[in-house]
Amino acid sequence: GGLYTQLFTINVGCVFVQANPRSVKLMRRVAASLRAKPAWDQQAFNEILLMPGYAERPTHRASLRVMDHMQWANSKTFFKSERRHFFPGASARAPTPVMVHMNYHPDKHKRMLCVIARYLDGKPSACDDFPGGSEKGT
């Protein structure tokens, strides 16, 4: 075995893939991997996307670009790790996100409703009472 280091994971619930020969090759490789053995689709995608190629398995040559995490936020970024930029809502410094992907907290539906109320219904403090983590005080 060798040393395996992964610095981050691409969330396949919030990904844009431009159709071209390289991305088709990448997706075919992911599909083949999932057919060969049951796995979590996100982990299979990340392993194939981020692992370097070698003689027996050359790279797919697809490139990766990561969008601004403050504008394409997930719920951990919005409610927890970058909370100081988004809260309190009335004085938030962060730009209005393009989207907030609810993937981190167990109370996804309630948090989704507060984001809708904040950005679509014009209620800036709609999310202020939610804790950063899943429990009060976090």
Side-chain angles (χ1 to χ4, degrees):
L3 179 62
Y4 176 74
T5 301
Q6 185 169 332
L7 302 176
F8 58 90
T9 303
I10 301 304
N11 188 316
V12 298
C14 180
V15 66
F16 168 78
V17 178
Q18 184 168 344
N20 61 48
R22 292 176 181 185
S23 62
V24 169
K25 186 175 183 178
L26 168 66
M27 294 304 173
R28 284 185 175 150
R29 195 174 280 179
V30 171
S33 172
L34 292 171
R35 276 193 304 274
K37 67 175 184 170
W40 182 31
D41 59 350
Q42 185 161 299
Q43 188 61 37
F45 178 82
N46 277 278
E47 286 176 0
I48 292 166
L49 175 66
L50 301 173
M51 285 293 214
Y54 52 92
E56 291 81 26
R57 190 191 58 95
T59 182
H60 42 72
R61 297 183 59 221
S63 60
L64 168 67
R65 292 176 181 87
V66 178
M67 295 182 179
D68 183 337
H69 74 288
M70 297 291 279
Q71 292 185 351
W72 299 86
N74 65 19
S75 56
K76 183 176 185 179
T77 299
F78 185 82
F79 286 102
K80 190 168 176 71
S81 64
E82 298 292 340
R83 185 178 185 88
R84 67 191 180 282
H85 297 289
F86 291 103
F87 294 91
S91 60
R93 299 184 316 251
T96 299
V98 174
M99 62 151 284
V100 180
H101 179 61
M102 298 295 162
N103 64 331
Y104 180 74
H105 297 87
D107 54 348
K108 294 176 185 182
H109 188 251
K110 289 180 183 176
R111 289 177 189 253
M112 190 179 313
L113 292 175
C114 88
V115 170
I116 290 169
R118 177 173 173 170
Y119 292 109
L120 298 181
D121 299 337
K123 299 175 184 170
S125 61
C127 300
D128 290 359
D129 291 338
F130 281 93
S134 299
E135 304 295 327
K136 290 192 183 305
T138 60

